[in-house]
Amino acid sequence: MCKKICKFITIIIVLTILGIISLYTNGNIGVPKSRIESDARQSQKIDDSWEVAKSISNSLCAMVFYNEHCNDYTFSIYINRKGFSFGYFFRSGGSLSSIEESIYEFKLNGYGKALLSMNKVKAERIEIDNGQEIKKIDIDSEKPFTIILEENIGVVTIFDIHDKVINYRF
């Protein structure tokens, strides 16, 4: 009887290990939410001394890493795939002049959108008008930022420190 139980437990353990290996090799296991920043730093070779502006939702993560003088940066976008997958998966990264000089909007159908900026335009607040109310999000005008917004959220308007509307790229 003991031999049958040991054999059964061994088979279960082997099948579980094979299942995990199969999920991993098929690209169904990503990075846990708690390790996204360290994964981006490692995979994109980002110095540990760099600051990060990060926003994360259940479906999307956007990060801008930058040095102390804000004259060098790199960004990372991760998505949490729908369906049978676990964790977040790298989607895009690098640098874009739109992020450096203004505000760039990444639209990721089914996941939402992310606003990324080194904030040279001195953005101070975002207003989101959904037709019934206006939601305000304050931004530190002296620092880079990332903001994640849901799809079909309404009209998004960004204002600078002089209360002027900032046009951004997407």
Side-chain angles (χ1 to χ4, degrees):
M1 180 73 171
C2 184
K3 286 185 179 187
K4 284 185 180 184
I5 292 174
C6 288
K7 186 176 181 180
F8 179 73
I9 291 173
T10 302
I11 289 171
I12 295 295
I13 291 171
V14 168
L15 289 175
T16 302
I17 291 171
L18 289 174
I20 291 171
I21 290 170
S22 174
L23 286 171
Y24 184 75
T25 57
N26 287 327
N28 293 326
I29 297 180
V31 179
K33 194 180 219 180
S34 61
R35 289 197 8 87
I36 295 174
E37 183 180 332
S38 61
D39 183 75
R41 285 184 186 276
Q42 181 182 4
S43 64
Q44 292 181 269
K45 297 175 179 54
I46 299 168
D47 193 289
D48 286 338
S49 67
W50 281 22
E51 297 287 324
V52 63
K54 173 173 55 174
S55 292
I56 190 164
S57 71
N58 289 330
S59 59
L60 183 61
C61 177
M63 297 174 283
V64 173
F65 298 90
Y66 56 96
N67 66 5
E68 68 177 307
H69 304 293
C70 291
N71 60 3
D72 197 8
Y73 77 97
T74 190
F75 74 91
S76 296
I77 304 287
Y78 283 72
I79 60 170
N80 186 357
R81 295 182 190 156
K82 297 178 182 344
F84 192 67
S85 68
F86 304 97
Y88 290 75
F89 298 85
F90 179 78
R91 174 66 186 261
S92 186
S95 60
L96 294 169
S97 61
S98 299
I99 294 171
E100 184 174 358
E101 300 300 324
S102 184
I103 301 167
Y104 190 80
E105 178 183 271
F106 277 91
K107 286 185 181 181
L108 297 150
N109 292 335
Y111 298 97
K113 53 187 169 182
L115 302 176
L116 292 88
S117 178
M118 288 300 291
N119 211 5
K120 287 185 180 178
V121 293
K122 303 291 186 195
E124 186 174 63
R125 84 176 179 282
I126 297 174
E127 291 185 1
I128 303 166
D129 185 350
N130 65 8
Q132 296 177 354
E133 65 179 338
I134 297 176
K135 178 182 175 185
K136 294 181 182 181
I137 301 171
D138 291 325
I139 300 169
D140 185 340
S141 63
E142 299 297 318
K143 293 184 176 182
F145 69 89
T146 61
I147 304 278
I148 293 179
L149 303 170
E150 298 173 20
E151 286 186 303
N152 305 319
I153 196 167
V155 177
V156 177
T157 309
I158 304 173
F159 296 91
D160 68 10
I161 58 175
H162 303 293
D163 214 31
K164 292 187 179 172
V165 175
I166 299 170
N167 294 317
Y168 56 95
R169 299 182 64 179
F170 52 90

